[in-house]
Amino acid sequence: MPRYEYRCRSCGDTFELSRPMAESGAPAECPAGHADTVKLLSAVAVGGSASSPSSSSAPAAGGGGGGCCGGGCCG
């Protein structure tokens, strides 16, 4: 379940909640009980591992004709 970060406008506390994506925009109460909160934009990490380039689903860069279109038409 995704985690969303919120900030309380009343006390300035920043907190996280785990909730379904369908409820991401629903009001959130801060741990101190204040209702005036705002959802913060945060970076999202999406599965996978950066430790092994060979496990990437992206194709490896290969040789080729080079140029602007990769086919040797530029010159």
Side-chain angles (χ1 to χ4, degrees):
M1 189 172 320
R3 294 185 60 82
Y4 297 96
E5 190 174 21
Y6 298 85
R7 183 177 49 85
C8 177
R9 291 180 179 167
S10 298
C11 66
D13 190 21
T14 300
F15 60 98
E16 292 183 352
L17 292 177
S18 293
R19 50 174 40 176
M21 292 174 82
E23 296 177 17
S24 67
E29 188 174 286
C30 91
H34 304 118
D36 189 12
T37 61
V38 62
K39 187 172 91 169
L40 302 176
L41 295 176
S42 55
V44 176
V46 179
S49 172
S51 63
S52 175
S54 63
S55 67
S56 173
S57 61
C68 59
C69 59
C73 63
C74 298

